[in-house]
Amino acid sequence: MGFVGNLGDIFKILKHTFRQVFRRPFTYFYPFEDREYPETTRGRHIHIRETCNACAACVRACPVAAIRIDKEDKKFEKDCALYFDYTRCLFCGDCVRACRYDALFHTPIVDISEGDREDLIYGPDKITTLDRDPLEWRGRRFR
Amino acid sequence: MSPDILDESSVIWFGPQHVSAHGWAAKLTIVGDYIVECDPNAGYFHRSAEKCLEFRNFRQGSMILERICMMEAFLAEYPYIAAVEKIVDLEIPERAKIMRTIMMEFNRIHSLQFWWGQFAGELGLFVMLLWPWVDREYSLDAFEELTGSRHTVSYATPGGVKYDFTPKFLAKMEKALTRVKDRMPVFEDMLSGSPTFRLRTEGVAHYTAKQALKWGLSGPNIKACGIPMDLRKDDPDPNLAYDMIDWEVPVINNEEHPGESDAFDRLLQRFKEIETSLDIIDKLLPLLPEGPIIDPKARSKANRLPEGEGYGRVEGTRGITTVWLKTMEKAQTPWRAKIRGPCFASYYALKHIVPGARFADFPAIFGSLDPYPGWWDR
């Protein structure tokens, strides 16, 4: 009885071990995959110059002076160029709330680390475009 | 204590690099295994938050406050908003009042879950460190769904709140709270039912209600002594919804030593706080009316404030949190801001509580007081 009982216990343990080996991991295989972020996520911004009115409400709303405005740089009739300094940004969302012309939004991209400090200052060319589609790059490729 | 004993003493710095000391430091004088003197040192986290507030306008100031204590971000930013609302007349909609209160209690549950895991981790129970933190993720997901940020919610603004409750958020909050309710008996059994845990906490860090009042402790640290001192009941904020419902102040009164508390009582007290918070949320959710979430004139009214003084206070997770503001005529920024954190008192109470304890009990002592370094350095 003792031997058979022990054997039963051993098989029970082996069952758990094998199940653990072939189970998918609980963690994400970052950076190749990531969890899904809600639409409201306050990630990096996107500036839509077509609708921008150069009112500088976002600049005044920013608590850490992370936004710089250049009103001379015009692509359309009324717009301006915005420079976002992500070394200072708190992602508090006040600039997006202050914008009355639907020209500034948050995107669900939250991993904006760079090797060089200068690369974190997003100029007008970088802030108006998404360099990658967040869903394409962080799709559930490994699951 | 005779001077001969002190001849054999040695001095050990607990922190700031120690893993359990979260960036703070205490100078301990030790004879054998016993601590004879404890000298807490503040200042490692000083970021001059009060001075920073003088350069931010009244809509921006709360962002500084919530970064002082990330775990209770909404409870930390609210006193500033309350102080602004004392200076300028704003009509807070009913819906916003209830939403603020629900969010406040939800944040309190999240903060207590964090503390509870951290306390167990400091005592060396690493499974108990991770289990409440897994539950905490559900709360964080709900915060993210509502506000877009996991910790620093930036939810309140003078005149109301920033984001409206969505069905998705309510579903996620329901999920998080159900999880807390389901797992509470398991955790109670694992912590308060565990002989190892009881041995490490019972009779450790003992103080009486009289001493607690003298040292200026507040929150769960004083409620564990049997004193029902709770700002939510004693001085309900007119812009919150605590007076709309019936609820009881959570108080632990141990029959073995009435009017006194040890580390174990404070653990039970914090369990009871979670139950009360769950109760308040359950009672407030059906009362949520339809309507606006912010005073329509809040933006223009909070732009320039009249001359005056505002004193906002709230019962935080760790105790009474207050902000005092002084403004001049047509002020865009406060002339002076003063923050009173709850943890300065509990941190310096270590000076009186620790002497006589064993060195191995030190994490249990400061863990049970729930100090958060941001609050005493600001």
Side-chain angles (χ1 to χ4, degrees), chain A residues 35 40 42 60-61 63 90 94, chain B residues 56 60 144-145 147-148 152:
Chain A
R35 72 194 176 86
T40 47
R42 301 200 300 242
R60 272 178 271 124
L90 297 173
D94 264 23
Chain B
R56 306 286 184 282
Q60 296 170 346
E144 193 184 24
E145 183 63 49
T147 66
T152 48

Side-chain angles (χ1 to χ4, degrees), chain B residues 7-29:
Chain B
D7 289 345
E8 293 167 14
S9 68
S10 51
V11 173
I12 287 183
W13 278 87
F14 191 89
Q17 283 90 5
H18 194 279
V19 188
S20 285
H22 313 270
W24 51 270
K27 191 176 157 191
L28 305 173
T29 312

